[in-house]
Amino acid sequence: MRGLIGAISVLAIMAGSTASAETLKLVEVITSPERTKVLQAQVDAFEAANPGTEVEIVSLPWGQAFEKFATMVAGGDIPDVVEMPDRWAGIYKDKLVDLNDRIAEWEHGATLTQKTIDMGRQTDGKSARMIPYGFYLRALFYNKKLLEEAGVKEPPRTMEDFMAASKAVSELDGKYGYCLRGGPGGLNGWIMMAATMNGSNTFFDEDGKSTLNQPGSVEGIQFLIDMYQNGYAPKDAVSWGFNEIVAGFYSGTCAFLDQDPDALIAVSERMDAEDFAVIPMPVGPAGKAFPTIGFAGWSMFDTTSDKDLSWKLIAHLSSPDSNKEWAKRVGVIPIHEGAEQDPHFKTEQFAGWFETLNGEEYVPTVMPTYLEQFGYFADSIALETSQEALLGQISAQEVADQWADFLTDEYARWKAAQ
Protein backbone atom coordinates (compact mmCIF):
# COMPACT_ATOMS: atom_id res chain seq x y z
CA MET A 1 0.00 0.00 0.00
CA ARG A 2 2.82 2.36 0.91
CA GLY A 3 4.48 1.56 -2.41
CA LEU A 4 1.26 2.42 -4.26
CA ILE A 5 0.87 5.68 -2.33
CA GLY A 6 4.50 6.52 -3.04
CA ALA A 7 4.05 5.83 -6.75
CA ILE A 8 0.90 7.98 -6.85
CA SER A 9 2.78 10.78 -5.09
CA VAL A 10 5.62 10.62 -7.62
CA LEU A 11 3.14 10.67 -10.52
CA ALA A 12 1.35 13.63 -8.95
CA ILE A 13 4.60 15.53 -8.63
CA MET A 14 5.50 14.71 -12.23
CA ALA A 15 2.08 15.75 -13.42
CA GLY A 16 2.34 19.00 -11.49
CA SER A 17 5.77 19.64 -12.99
CA THR A 18 4.45 18.99 -16.49
CA ALA A 19 1.46 21.21 -15.92
CA SER A 20 3.68 24.05 -14.75
CA ALA A 21 5.87 23.86 -17.86
CA GLU A 22 5.23 26.74 -20.25
CA THR A 23 5.91 26.82 -23.97
CA LEU A 24 6.32 30.10 -25.84
CA LYS A 25 6.27 30.38 -29.60
CA LEU A 26 8.70 32.86 -31.13
CA VAL A 27 8.58 33.62 -34.85
CA GLU A 28 11.60 35.04 -36.66
CA VAL A 29 11.04 36.51 -40.10
CA ILE A 30 14.37 38.01 -41.25
CA THR A 31 15.92 34.60 -41.34
CA SER A 32 19.40 33.33 -42.16
CA PRO A 33 21.47 30.45 -40.75
CA GLU A 34 23.73 32.85 -38.85
CA ARG A 35 20.86 34.82 -37.32
CA THR A 36 19.00 31.70 -36.30
CA LYS A 37 22.14 30.33 -34.66
CA VAL A 38 22.58 33.50 -32.60
CA LEU A 39 18.88 33.59 -31.66
CA GLN A 40 18.87 29.91 -30.66
CA ALA A 41 21.86 30.44 -28.36
CA GLN A 42 20.12 33.35 -26.64
CA VAL A 43 16.91 31.34 -26.29
CA ASP A 44 18.88 28.43 -24.82
CA ALA A 45 20.26 30.80 -22.19
CA PHE A 46 16.72 32.01 -21.44
CA GLU A 47 15.45 28.45 -20.99
CA ALA A 48 18.37 27.63 -18.70
CA ALA A 49 17.55 30.65 -16.54
CA ASN A 50 13.85 29.73 -16.48
CA PRO A 51 13.54 26.00 -15.76
CA GLY A 52 10.32 24.49 -17.10
CA THR A 53 10.07 27.02 -19.89
CA GLU A 54 10.48 26.01 -23.51
CA VAL A 55 10.68 28.37 -26.47
CA GLU A 56 9.73 27.07 -29.90
CA ILE A 57 11.43 29.07 -32.66
CA VAL A 58 9.56 29.19 -35.96
CA SER A 59 11.77 30.48 -38.78
CA LEU A 60 10.11 32.00 -41.84
CA PRO A 61 12.21 32.76 -44.93
CA TRP A 62 12.15 36.51 -45.53
CA GLY A 63 11.06 36.20 -49.16
CA GLN A 64 7.75 34.59 -48.13
CA ALA A 65 7.58 35.82 -44.53
CA PHE A 66 4.91 38.48 -45.01
CA GLU A 67 2.40 36.12 -46.60
CA LYS A 68 3.23 33.14 -44.37
CA PHE A 69 2.96 35.18 -41.19
CA ALA A 70 -0.30 36.80 -42.26
CA THR A 71 -1.71 33.32 -42.94
CA MET A 72 -0.60 32.14 -39.49
CA VAL A 73 -2.29 35.04 -37.74
CA ALA A 74 -5.46 34.79 -39.83
CA GLY A 75 -5.67 31.08 -39.01
CA GLY A 76 -5.31 31.65 -35.29
CA ASP A 77 -1.75 30.28 -35.11
CA ILE A 78 -0.52 33.41 -33.37
CA PRO A 79 2.90 33.43 -31.69
CA ASP A 80 3.62 34.84 -28.26
CA VAL A 81 6.62 36.86 -29.44
CA VAL A 82 7.52 37.89 -32.98
CA GLU A 83 10.39 39.56 -34.76
CA MET A 84 8.45 42.59 -36.04
CA PRO A 85 9.81 44.58 -39.03
CA ASP A 86 9.02 48.29 -38.94
CA ARG A 87 6.83 48.08 -42.05
CA TRP A 88 4.59 45.46 -40.41
CA ALA A 89 3.97 47.20 -37.10
CA GLY A 90 1.18 49.39 -38.46
CA ILE A 91 -0.64 46.35 -39.78
CA TYR A 92 -0.63 44.44 -36.49
CA LYS A 93 -0.58 47.34 -34.03
CA ASP A 94 -4.05 46.61 -32.62
CA LYS A 95 -2.97 43.06 -31.75
CA LEU A 96 0.32 43.99 -30.09
CA VAL A 97 0.77 44.65 -26.37
CA ASP A 98 1.81 48.17 -25.39
CA LEU A 99 5.16 47.69 -23.61
CA ASN A 100 5.48 51.21 -22.17
CA ASP A 101 4.77 50.30 -18.54
CA ARG A 102 6.97 47.23 -18.63
CA ILE A 103 9.86 49.17 -20.14
CA ALA A 104 9.48 51.84 -17.44
CA GLU A 105 9.77 49.18 -14.71
CA TRP A 106 12.54 47.21 -16.43
CA GLU A 107 16.02 47.38 -14.92
CA HIS A 108 17.51 48.16 -18.35
CA GLY A 109 14.74 50.45 -19.57
CA ALA A 110 16.61 53.60 -18.60
CA THR A 111 19.58 52.78 -20.83
CA LEU A 112 17.57 52.38 -24.02
CA THR A 113 18.46 55.21 -26.38
CA GLN A 114 15.79 57.79 -27.13
CA LYS A 115 15.86 56.71 -30.76
CA THR A 116 14.97 53.18 -29.65
CA ILE A 117 12.03 54.42 -27.57
CA ASP A 118 10.80 56.70 -30.35
CA MET A 119 10.97 54.01 -33.01
CA GLY A 120 9.23 51.51 -30.75
CA ARG A 121 6.33 53.98 -30.57
CA GLN A 122 6.30 54.73 -34.29
CA THR A 123 2.79 53.42 -35.01
CA ASP A 124 1.01 56.20 -33.09
CA GLY A 125 3.75 58.10 -31.28
CA LYS A 126 2.58 56.85 -27.89
CA SER A 127 2.29 53.07 -27.54
CA ALA A 128 5.48 50.98 -27.53
CA ARG A 129 4.44 48.13 -29.80
CA MET A 130 7.96 46.72 -29.84
CA ILE A 131 11.47 47.07 -28.52
CA PRO A 132 13.63 47.54 -31.62
CA TYR A 133 16.70 45.30 -31.53
CA GLY A 134 18.85 47.54 -33.70
CA PHE A 135 18.88 49.89 -36.65
CA TYR A 136 19.70 49.62 -40.33
CA LEU A 137 20.91 53.17 -40.88
CA ARG A 138 22.56 54.54 -44.00
CA ALA A 139 26.04 56.02 -43.79
CA LEU A 140 28.88 56.51 -46.27
CA PHE A 141 31.75 54.02 -46.61
CA TYR A 142 34.87 55.45 -48.22
CA ASN A 143 38.09 53.91 -49.53
CA LYS A 144 41.04 55.81 -48.07
CA LYS A 145 43.55 54.59 -50.65
CA LEU A 146 41.44 55.61 -53.62
CA LEU A 147 40.82 59.08 -52.18
CA GLU A 148 44.52 59.55 -51.56
CA GLU A 149 45.41 58.34 -55.04
CA ALA A 150 42.86 60.76 -56.52
CA GLY A 151 44.24 63.67 -54.49
CA VAL A 152 41.10 64.02 -52.34
CA LYS A 153 42.33 65.23 -48.96
CA GLU A 154 39.17 64.75 -46.88
CA PRO A 155 36.10 62.52 -47.19
CA PRO A 156 33.04 64.48 -48.35
CA ARG A 157 30.85 66.19 -45.78
CA THR A 158 28.59 68.02 -48.26
CA MET A 159 26.80 66.94 -51.43
CA GLU A 160 29.00 69.31 -53.43
CA ASP A 161 32.12 67.66 -51.99
CA PHE A 162 30.62 64.24 -52.69
CA MET A 163 30.19 64.98 -56.39
CA ALA A 164 33.66 66.55 -56.66
CA ALA A 165 35.37 63.62 -54.91
CA SER A 166 33.49 61.13 -57.09
CA LYS A 167 34.65 62.98 -60.18
CA ALA A 168 38.27 62.96 -59.01
CA VAL A 169 38.30 59.21 -58.31
CA SER A 170 36.59 58.47 -61.64
CA GLU A 171 39.54 60.04 -63.45
CA LEU A 172 41.68 57.13 -62.22
CA ASP A 173 42.00 54.29 -64.70
CA GLY A 174 39.22 51.72 -64.16
CA LYS A 175 37.92 53.38 -61.00
CA TYR A 176 34.66 55.10 -60.14
CA GLY A 177 33.45 57.40 -57.42
CA TYR A 178 30.18 55.85 -56.34
CA CYS A 179 28.72 52.35 -56.07
CA LEU A 180 25.27 53.47 -57.19
CA ARG A 181 22.38 51.06 -56.54
CA GLY A 182 20.32 51.37 -59.70
CA GLY A 183 18.68 47.96 -59.38
CA PRO A 184 16.40 46.32 -56.79
CA GLY A 185 16.32 48.03 -53.41
CA GLY A 186 17.68 51.29 -54.77
CA LEU A 187 14.82 53.54 -53.65
CA ASN A 188 16.55 54.49 -50.38
CA GLY A 189 19.30 56.26 -52.28
CA TRP A 190 16.86 58.30 -54.37
CA ILE A 191 14.82 59.27 -51.32
CA MET A 192 17.90 60.29 -49.33
CA MET A 193 19.24 62.49 -52.12
CA ALA A 194 15.83 64.05 -52.79
CA ALA A 195 15.28 64.88 -49.11
CA THR A 196 18.82 66.16 -48.60
CA MET A 197 18.67 68.55 -51.54
CA ASN A 198 15.14 69.60 -50.58
CA GLY A 199 16.12 70.22 -46.95
CA SER A 200 13.24 68.14 -45.57
CA ASN A 201 12.27 64.50 -45.17
CA THR A 202 8.54 65.20 -44.88
CA PHE A 203 6.89 62.99 -47.49
CA PHE A 204 3.61 64.93 -47.70
CA ASP A 205 2.73 68.60 -47.27
CA GLU A 206 -0.18 69.92 -45.22
CA ASP A 207 -2.50 69.43 -48.18
CA GLY A 208 -1.56 65.76 -48.47
CA LYS A 209 0.51 66.20 -51.62
CA SER A 210 3.77 64.33 -52.06
CA THR A 211 6.90 66.46 -51.76
CA LEU A 212 8.88 64.33 -54.18
CA ASN A 213 8.31 66.71 -57.09
CA GLN A 214 9.19 69.88 -55.23
CA PRO A 215 12.16 71.68 -56.84
CA GLY A 216 14.69 70.56 -54.21
CA SER A 217 13.59 66.94 -54.48
CA VAL A 218 13.99 67.06 -58.25
CA GLU A 219 17.53 68.38 -57.72
CA GLY A 220 18.29 65.37 -55.55
CA ILE A 221 17.00 62.98 -58.20
CA GLN A 222 19.04 64.84 -60.81
CA PHE A 223 22.12 64.48 -58.57
CA LEU A 224 22.06 60.68 -58.94
CA ILE A 225 21.30 60.90 -62.64
CA ASP A 226 24.32 63.17 -63.09
CA MET A 227 26.49 60.86 -61.01
CA TYR A 228 25.68 58.01 -63.39
CA GLN A 229 25.60 59.85 -66.70
CA ASN A 230 28.86 61.68 -65.98
CA GLY A 231 30.61 58.32 -65.54
CA TYR A 232 31.15 58.64 -61.80
CA ALA A 233 29.44 55.25 -61.29
CA PRO A 234 30.02 52.05 -63.30
CA LYS A 235 27.76 51.52 -66.33
CA ASP A 236 26.55 48.22 -64.88
CA ALA A 237 25.39 50.06 -61.75
CA VAL A 238 22.05 50.73 -63.44
CA SER A 239 21.11 47.16 -62.47
CA TRP A 240 23.19 46.71 -59.30
CA GLY A 241 21.56 45.45 -56.11
CA PHE A 242 22.97 44.96 -52.61
CA ASN A 243 25.53 42.27 -53.42
CA GLU A 244 26.88 44.13 -56.43
CA ILE A 245 27.37 47.49 -54.72
CA VAL A 246 29.06 45.91 -51.71
CA ALA A 247 31.36 43.89 -53.97
CA GLY A 248 32.04 47.02 -55.99
CA PHE A 249 33.31 48.69 -52.85
CA TYR A 250 35.44 45.94 -51.32
CA SER A 251 36.96 45.09 -54.72
CA GLY A 252 38.24 48.67 -55.00
CA THR A 253 36.12 49.48 -58.05
CA CYS A 254 34.30 52.36 -56.32
CA ALA A 255 35.46 54.76 -53.62
CA PHE A 256 32.05 55.36 -52.00
CA LEU A 257 29.21 53.15 -50.85
CA ASP A 258 26.14 54.17 -48.88
CA GLN A 259 24.85 51.25 -46.87
CA ASP A 260 23.69 49.91 -43.52
CA PRO A 261 25.91 48.19 -40.93
CA ASP A 262 25.08 44.76 -42.34
CA ALA A 263 27.33 45.55 -45.32
CA LEU A 264 30.22 45.98 -42.90
CA ILE A 265 30.34 42.23 -42.32
CA ALA A 266 31.27 41.45 -45.95
CA VAL A 267 33.50 44.51 -46.32
CA SER A 268 35.48 43.79 -43.14
CA GLU A 269 36.18 40.24 -44.29
CA ARG A 270 37.83 41.51 -47.47
CA MET A 271 39.41 44.87 -46.60
CA ASP A 272 41.92 45.86 -43.96
CA ALA A 273 40.41 48.11 -41.30
CA GLU A 274 42.96 50.86 -41.96
CA ASP A 275 41.93 51.09 -45.62
CA PHE A 276 38.34 52.28 -45.17
CA ALA A 277 36.07 54.12 -42.78
CA VAL A 278 32.42 55.17 -42.45
CA ILE A 279 31.09 58.73 -42.05
CA PRO A 280 27.59 60.25 -42.01
CA MET A 281 25.86 60.92 -45.32
CA PRO A 282 26.83 64.29 -46.84
CA VAL A 283 24.63 67.26 -45.96
CA GLY A 284 22.75 69.36 -48.51
CA PRO A 285 22.20 73.11 -49.00
CA ALA A 286 20.17 73.33 -45.77
CA GLY A 287 23.04 71.86 -43.76
CA LYS A 288 21.21 68.60 -43.11
CA ALA A 289 21.24 65.03 -44.37
CA PHE A 290 18.35 62.59 -44.20
CA PRO A 291 19.72 59.03 -44.19
CA THR A 292 17.07 56.34 -44.32
CA ILE A 293 16.62 54.18 -41.26
CA GLY A 294 14.93 50.82 -40.93
CA PHE A 295 14.56 48.50 -38.00
CA ALA A 296 12.89 45.45 -36.57
CA GLY A 297 12.26 44.44 -32.99
CA TRP A 298 10.58 42.12 -30.54
CA SER A 299 6.80 42.40 -30.10
CA MET A 300 4.25 40.53 -27.98
CA PHE A 301 0.81 39.54 -29.24
CA ASP A 302 -2.08 40.19 -26.88
CA THR A 303 -3.25 36.59 -27.32
CA THR A 304 -0.26 35.20 -25.42
CA SER A 305 -1.37 33.05 -22.47
CA ASP A 306 1.39 34.43 -20.23
CA LYS A 307 2.21 38.10 -20.79
CA ASP A 308 4.72 38.14 -17.92
CA LEU A 309 6.72 35.26 -19.37
CA SER A 310 6.54 36.64 -22.91
CA TRP A 311 7.80 39.97 -21.62
CA LYS A 312 10.56 38.15 -19.77
CA LEU A 313 11.71 36.66 -23.08
CA ILE A 314 11.63 40.05 -24.81
CA ALA A 315 13.56 41.59 -21.92
CA HIS A 316 16.15 38.84 -22.12
CA LEU A 317 16.65 39.29 -25.86
CA SER A 318 16.76 43.09 -25.43
CA SER A 319 19.18 43.19 -22.47
CA PRO A 320 22.46 45.07 -23.02
CA ASP A 321 24.56 41.91 -23.25
CA SER A 322 22.19 40.03 -25.53
CA ASN A 323 21.61 43.03 -27.76
CA LYS A 324 25.29 43.81 -28.05
CA GLU A 325 26.02 40.27 -29.18
CA TRP A 326 23.09 40.36 -31.62
CA ALA A 327 24.24 43.69 -33.08
CA LYS A 328 27.77 42.41 -33.62
CA ARG A 329 26.67 39.22 -35.32
CA VAL A 330 23.86 40.44 -37.59
CA GLY A 331 25.02 43.96 -38.42
CA VAL A 332 22.78 46.52 -36.72
CA ILE A 333 23.35 49.55 -34.51
CA PRO A 334 22.75 48.50 -30.86
CA ILE A 335 19.96 49.99 -28.75
CA HIS A 336 21.51 50.80 -25.37
CA GLU A 337 23.40 53.95 -24.43
CA GLY A 338 27.15 53.50 -24.17
CA ALA A 339 27.32 50.60 -26.64
CA GLU A 340 29.63 52.68 -28.80
CA GLN A 341 32.28 52.36 -26.07
CA ASP A 342 32.58 48.63 -26.69
CA PRO A 343 35.87 47.97 -28.56
CA HIS A 344 33.92 46.28 -31.37
CA PHE A 345 31.98 49.48 -32.07
CA LYS A 346 34.61 52.02 -31.09
CA THR A 347 36.23 52.07 -34.51
CA GLU A 348 36.44 54.25 -37.59
CA GLN A 349 34.13 51.79 -39.27
CA PHE A 350 31.23 52.28 -36.81
CA ALA A 351 31.88 55.95 -36.07
CA GLY A 352 29.73 57.19 -38.94
CA TRP A 353 26.58 55.51 -37.67
CA PHE A 354 26.93 56.68 -34.10
CA GLU A 355 27.77 60.21 -35.28
CA THR A 356 24.61 60.13 -37.40
CA LEU A 357 22.45 59.07 -34.47
CA ASN A 358 23.90 61.76 -32.20
CA GLY A 359 24.27 64.69 -34.59
CA GLU A 360 21.55 67.32 -35.01
CA GLU A 361 22.37 67.80 -38.68
CA TYR A 362 21.50 64.19 -39.45
CA VAL A 363 17.80 63.35 -39.45
CA PRO A 364 17.02 59.63 -39.91
CA THR A 365 14.22 59.11 -42.41
CA VAL A 366 11.55 56.44 -42.01
CA MET A 367 9.89 55.38 -45.25
CA PRO A 368 6.06 55.70 -45.43
CA THR A 369 5.66 51.93 -45.25
CA TYR A 370 2.20 52.39 -43.74
CA LEU A 371 0.88 53.02 -47.25
CA GLU A 372 -0.73 49.85 -48.56
CA GLN A 373 0.93 49.96 -51.98
CA PHE A 374 4.31 51.24 -50.86
CA GLY A 375 5.95 47.87 -51.48
CA TYR A 376 4.66 47.89 -55.05
CA PHE A 377 5.87 51.45 -55.48
CA ALA A 378 9.36 50.64 -54.18
CA ASP A 379 9.89 47.35 -55.98
CA SER A 380 8.18 48.08 -59.29
CA ILE A 381 7.29 51.68 -60.13
CA ALA A 382 10.35 53.35 -58.58
CA LEU A 383 12.72 50.70 -59.88
CA GLU A 384 11.54 50.89 -63.47
CA THR A 385 11.31 54.69 -63.72
CA SER A 386 14.62 55.38 -61.93
CA GLN A 387 16.42 53.05 -64.36
CA GLU A 388 14.78 54.85 -67.28
CA ALA A 389 16.02 58.14 -65.85
CA LEU A 390 19.58 56.87 -65.42
CA LEU A 391 19.57 55.75 -69.04
CA GLY A 392 18.32 59.16 -70.19
CA GLN A 393 14.92 57.94 -71.35
CA ILE A 394 12.97 60.26 -69.02
CA SER A 395 13.89 63.38 -67.07
CA ALA A 396 14.27 63.90 -63.33
CA GLN A 397 11.11 66.01 -63.38
CA GLU A 398 9.15 63.23 -65.09
CA VAL A 399 10.33 60.70 -62.50
CA ALA A 400 9.45 63.04 -59.67
CA ASP A 401 5.99 63.75 -61.06
CA GLN A 402 5.17 60.08 -61.53
CA TRP A 403 6.31 59.23 -58.01
CA ALA A 404 4.49 62.17 -56.47
CA ASP A 405 1.23 61.39 -58.27
CA PHE A 406 1.26 57.79 -57.12
CA LEU A 407 2.17 58.54 -53.51
CA THR A 408 -0.32 61.42 -53.25
CA ASP A 409 -3.12 59.08 -54.31
CA GLU A 410 -1.95 56.39 -51.91
CA TYR A 411 -1.76 58.86 -49.04
CA ALA A 412 -5.29 60.08 -49.72
CA ARG A 413 -6.52 56.49 -49.74
CA TRP A 414 -4.72 55.82 -46.44
CA LYS A 415 -6.10 59.00 -44.83
CA ALA A 416 -9.65 58.12 -45.87
CA ALA A 417 -9.33 54.75 -44.17
CA GLN A 418 -8.22 56.18 -40.82
Side-chain angles (χ1 to χ4, degrees):
M1 189 67 175
R2 282 184 181 174
L4 179 60
I5 294 173
I8 292 173
S9 298
V10 170
L11 288 172
I13 292 171
M14 290 178 64
S17 176
T18 302
S20 64
E22 183 79 32
T23 298
L24 296 178
K25 179 181 286 188
L26 185 157
V27 172
E28 61 165 341
V29 300
I30 309 176
T31 306
S32 71
E34 172 65 14
R35 293 168 70 96
T36 302
K37 183 178 178 181
V38 177
L39 180 60
Q40 185 64 64
Q42 295 192 353
V43 163
D44 289 345
F46 176 76
E47 291 177 337
N50 296 273
T53 298
E54 296 180 1
V55 179
E56 175 193 1
I57 298 178
V58 177
S59 301
L60 303 180
W62 174 243
Q64 299 87 42
F66 182 82
E67 292 80 7
K68 286 182 177 293
F69 187 70
T71 300
M72 286 179 63
V73 173
D77 184 16
I78 304 175
D80 301 281
V81 175
V82 64
E83 178 183 19
M84 181 62 65
D86 55 354
R87 67 174 63 186
W88 296 12
I91 298 171
Y92 296 105
K93 65 179 186 296
D94 294 335
K95 302 178 186 297
L96 303 178
V97 175
D98 182 356
L99 302 177
N100 271 327
D101 290 343
R102 293 180 183 272
I103 292 172
E105 296 171 358
W106 184 35
E107 61 178 321
H108 300 302
T111 64
L112 291 173
T113 65
Q114 190 59 48
K115 184 64 64 182
T116 302
I117 297 295
D118 292 343
M119 292 302 178
R121 296 172 177 166
Q122 183 194 346
T123 55
D124 63 7
K126 299 176 182 178
S127 303
R129 302 300 182 186
M130 73 167 82
I131 295 184
Y133 59 56
F135 300 101
Y136 299 96
L137 176 66
R138 289 298 169 95
L140 192 67
F141 291 66
Y142 69 95
N143 184 313
K144 294 182 179 181
K145 287 185 174 181
L146 283 181
L147 294 195
E148 182 178 1
E149 190 177 348
V152 178
K153 295 183 180 180
E154 298 289 341
R157 291 288 180 172
T158 68
M159 293 285 278
E160 186 178 1
D161 292 342
F162 184 30
M163 183 69 80
S166 295
K167 177 182 179 181
V169 173
S170 299
E171 291 172 355
L172 300 174
D173 186 32
K175 304 298 180 182
Y176 300 90
Y178 180 45
C179 288
L180 185 148
R181 187 170 182 171
L187 180 60
N188 282 37
W190 296 95
I191 295 298
M192 283 192 299
M193 300 308 176
T196 297
M197 294 304 289
N198 202 33
S200 171
N201 65 348
T202 301
F203 280 90
F204 304 97
D205 63 21
E206 58 185 15
D207 296 322
K209 293 183 178 180
S210 170
T211 60
L212 281 179
N213 62 348
Q214 291 181 351
S217 297
V218 176
E219 285 185 43
I221 293 171
Q222 187 66 53
F223 185 94
L224 285 184
I225 295 173
D226 290 344
M227 188 77 80
Y228 181 77
Q229 294 184 351
N230 290 338
Y232 305 161
K235 278 192 174 182
D236 291 346
V238 67
S239 60
W240 277 8
F242 176 84
N243 291 332
E244 291 81 9
I245 60 173
V246 174
F249 182 76
Y250 65 61
S251 67
T253 301
C254 317
F256 299 111
L257 165 72
D258 67 83
Q259 254 309 315
D260 309 320
D262 54 351
L264 186 58
I265 296 172
V267 173
S268 296
E269 289 175 351
R270 296 167 176 84
M271 293 182 72
D272 293 332
E274 61 268 21
D275 291 340
F276 75 99
V278 180
I279 58 173
M281 292 301 297
V283 300
K288 291 185 178 296
F290 299 92
T292 53
I293 188 170
F295 59 95
W298 305 115
S299 295
M300 181 200 314
F301 273 88
D302 59 11
T303 50
T304 181
S305 60
D306 192 332
K307 288 185 173 63
D308 290 339
L309 190 61
S310 292
W311 162 250
K312 203 170 185 180
L313 175 58
I314 290 175
H316 170 77
L317 296 173
S318 305
S319 69
D321 288 342
S322 295
N323 181 254
K324 192 182 297 183
E325 178 190 19
W326 180 264
K328 291 177 182 179
R329 300 283 289 278
V330 307
V332 291
I333 300 299
I335 61 175
H336 289 276
E337 293 176 354
E340 70 273 15
Q341 299 305 315
D342 183 281
H344 178 86
F345 299 112
K346 201 172 184 179
T347 65
E348 276 191 301
Q349 286 67 47
F350 273 99
W353 289 295
F354 287 109
E355 186 178 345
T356 298
L357 287 172
N358 296 323
E360 292 184 1
E361 64 267 52
Y362 308 112
V363 185
T365 298
V366 180
M367 293 288 207
T369 53
Y370 53 85
L371 300 179
E372 184 177 347
Q373 294 297 315
F374 185 79
Y376 171 67
F377 168 73
D379 299 331
S380 182
I381 293 176
L383 173 59
E384 181 180 346
T385 51
S386 62
Q387 288 179 325
E388 290 174 351
L390 291 174
L391 295 173
Q393 297 168 359
I394 58 176
S395 69
Q397 187 67 58
E398 288 173 305
V399 172
D401 287 340
Q402 288 188 48
W403 291 4
D405 288 345
F406 182 88
L407 291 177
T408 296
D409 289 344
E410 275 302 298
Y411 185 70
R413 192 173 295 114
W414 175 78
K415 285 281 285 185
Q418 300 309 301

